[in-house]
Structures are given as structure tokens and as C-alpha cells.
Amino acid sequence: MTIGAYTRVVILLLAALVLPASQAATPQIKTQAPGYYRIMIGKTEVTALYDGSSTFPLTLFKNATPAELDRQVAAINGNAPKVVNGSVNSFLINTGEHLILIDSGGGKLLGAGFGQVATNLRAAGYSPEQVDLVLLTHMHGDHIGGLVNAEGQPAYPNATIWTSKAEADYWLSPANAAKASKDKQAGFQRATDILTPYRQAGKLKFFTTGKDLLPGLQPIALPGHTPGHSGFILEQGGQRILFWGDIVHYSALQFAHPELAVGFDADGVQAVKTRAALLALVARQQTLVAGAHITFPGIGYVSSDGKTGYRWTPVGYGEVR
Ligand SMILES: [Zn+2]
């Protein structure tokens, strides 16, 4: 190549690096794709709805020293930053007869970036008025905060809220609130404030675990994280999915180390026992799982890692099938 030809190539390359004026002036959009993801379970449509996400501090986890936790996260995350990401997910079930929301997200309770369930429900093609049942896995703020709008009024005005009696007895009892430590009292007050408008309207009801609430939809008791923490099994057309609430808060860490409890557990010992039993069961039965805090959409399969832990395989993005 002559010096002249070389110079021409360099000039061409430099010209390619300069953005056209119109492109440089295009404003950036800075919004994410709508937070919903759909699958079919038999003829029933299931839509995961994104509420928000954040990082969890490692101090949240119990049953390991800070040094052990550091090692565990490093072993899982490799060179990625040692932060613990988690989402808040709700799930919408359209049976054709009923539109059922499982948990409501945090509403205004969790601050900026959260409270997007109702927005994403609309983006997914529905309206809050169409929801006729809301099933609660439990009554922590990130699962019930979205039941009320900014004015404190029911956000799902035509819905009946279903929970386990154990959960309602625990959170809606003034005696339990009075007994609770100062830092826990806000949680009791919040549950009472949010659920009272529904209760007064006769729209707070109790399901029985182990018994179908609707054909093919059964609540199951998964105690520990809270006293009445529940999951829901949906079985349609030979397919099955388990909505398991807060069985796992941080997928990378707690699948590999199911023995890790979290600071939010009401009974950490029972929560670990429930997680161990359920992980073994869903791995053995190859049950599709939907989790409230597994990275959105929080739907996937659990398998044994061949040792004492498990692996999470998320669903992939694709057509609704
Ligand atoms: Zn939660």
C-alpha cells in the first residue's frame, strides 16, 4: 500500500467514527421494555408482572459468617460485582373465567422504582377492574403494598382478597402488634391499614391449604418466612406451575445454599426446613416454579447440583406457548 492509499484509508476510518449530526441529536429514551412475560399452562394464561428490583445487602442472610457469604457469592458470581440482585414479581392468571392476581407488589411502600405492577398489568392488556381474585402468599409490604392506590383506596375494586387464616390471624391481630418489637410494629400496622378497606367491604376471605380454591388451583402451606406463608399450585391440561412466594429471595445464593435464612423470616429454622423440602420436591417432580423475588420473570426449573444444593434454570424469552 502506498503512503497515499494508506492516508485515504485512515481518512475513511476517521470519517466513519464521526456520527452524523442528526443521530447525535436523537434523544435517548431511557425506559425499559414493559415488565410482563407470558406463558401458557394448558389453556390457562399466566403473566408475570414486574414490580421493581434492587440489591440486597449480604447482611440480610443468616446461618453463614460474613466471610463465608463473601466466598459463596464469589464462587457463584465469579468476576461479576458482589451484589445480590432481586426482583419483586407478581403473577396474573387468566383461566378464561377468572382473572387472578398473586400478590400485588409493593405499591408506594418500597420507594422509587417499585410499585409497577398495576402499570405492567395494563401494559399486558388488562385493567385492575377486571381482577376478581387476589391471592396472597403472605402479608409483607412487598406483597400487599400495591393493593391500595395513592389515596389508600382499593386498587383492585372488584377483587376479593384471599389469604390463609394463619396469615390474617398473625398480621391483623392488635395483640400481636402490641407484642412485636418496635421495628416490627410498622409491618403489623401496614397490613391492618391496607387490608381494612377490603375487610370492611366483606372482601377478605380465607382459603384452606391442601384444598382446591378453584378447579386446578390449590393453595399449599409453606410456613416459616411468615406463619401463614402459602404457595399456589396451578394444574391445567397436564401441565403444572407452583407459585411459591418467598421460598427463595436471592436465586444465585439460596439455590446453592438453601440453608441460608433471611432477616425477614419470622421463623428462620422453619423457613429453611420448608425450603429444603420444597426444593427437593420440585427438582424431583420437574415442576415449573414462579418466584416472587427471583430475577424477572422469576419463572424456571430447579434441579439438583449433585451435592447439597440446587440450580435454577430460567425460562427463555420467546413466543407465548
Ligand atoms: Zn417478599
Side-chain angles (χ1 to χ4, degrees), residues 138 142-143 225 246 249 293:
H138 63 298
D142 52 324
H143 299 257
H225 181 54
D246 282 17
H249 282 83
H293 297 308

Side-chain angles (χ1 to χ4, degrees), residues 9 20 48 156 191 195 205 244 268 290 298:
V9 169
Y156 299 93
L195 287 157
K205 299 205 169 161
W244 75 12

Side-chain angles (χ1 to χ4, degrees), residues 58-305:
L58 280 186
T59 50
L60 182 67
F61 297 95
K62 312 282 176 199
N63 305 340
T65 65
E68 282 168 340
L69 282 170
D70 263 349
R71 272 199 302 279
Q72 289 170 359
V73 176
I76 292 157
N77 279 13
N79 287 331
K82 289 179 183 49
V83 291
V84 176
N85 282 304
S87 309
V88 174
N89 310 318
S90 291
F91 299 94
L92 193 67
I93 302 172
N94 186 349
T95 66
E97 245 179 283
H98 296 284
L99 191 61
I100 305 159
L101 181 65
I102 297 182
D103 293 334
S104 70
K108 298 269 169 239
L109 293 179
L110 303 181
F114 285 91
Q116 301 185 52
V117 163
T119 306
N120 285 323
L121 182 145
R122 287 191 184 91
Y126 294 105
S127 75
E129 289 74 20
Q130 290 175 300
V131 174
D132 58 341
L133 289 90
V134 178
L135 313 185
L136 298 180
T137 59
H138 63 298
M139 291 193 181
H140 277 160
D142 52 324
H143 299 257
I144 61 170
L147 288 178
V148 290
N149 60 24
E151 291 75 45
Q153 295 305 308
Y156 299 93
N158 301 315
T160 299
I161 314 298
W162 291 82
T163 180
S164 70
K165 186 154 187 315
E167 193 68 3
D169 284 350
Y170 179 72
W171 289 103
L172 305 181
S173 149
N176 278 351
K179 269 193 305 201
S181 60
K182 267 224 149 56
D183 60 318
K184 297 256 157 65
Q185 279 180 357
F188 287 91
Q189 191 57 50
R190 223 161 31 211
T192 302
D193 290 347
I194 289 169
L195 287 157
T196 295
Y198 287 99
R199 184 145 76 162
Q200 284 174 344
K203 289 180 163 182
L204 179 64
K205 299 205 169 161
F206 307 128
F207 51 68
T208 306
T209 53
K211 206 174 147 216
D212 275 7
L213 176 63
L214 293 169
L217 181 63
Q218 184 171 116
I220 58 168
L222 300 173
H225 181 54
T226 60
H229 184 269
S230 305
F232 305 98
I233 297 174
L234 172 70
E235 260 185 298
Q236 291 288 324
Q239 291 183 287
R240 176 195 296 176
I241 187 169
L242 166 65
F243 302 91
W244 75 12
D246 282 17
I247 288 297
V248 165
H249 282 83
Y250 173 45
S251 44
L253 207 49
Q254 281 179 306
F255 281 115
H257 298 281
E259 73 281 5
L260 294 176
V262 291
F264 308 131
D265 290 335
D267 179 345
V269 174
Q270 181 59 52
V272 168
K273 272 191 205 161
T274 297
R275 179 165 44 255
L278 196 63
L279 287 172
L281 184 71
V282 295
R284 195 168 63 241
Q285 295 189 339
Q286 301 182 330
T287 303
L288 188 62
V289 165
H293 297 308
I294 297 172
T295 304
F296 185 78
I299 300 175
Y301 288 95
V302 177
S303 53
S304 167
D305 69 1

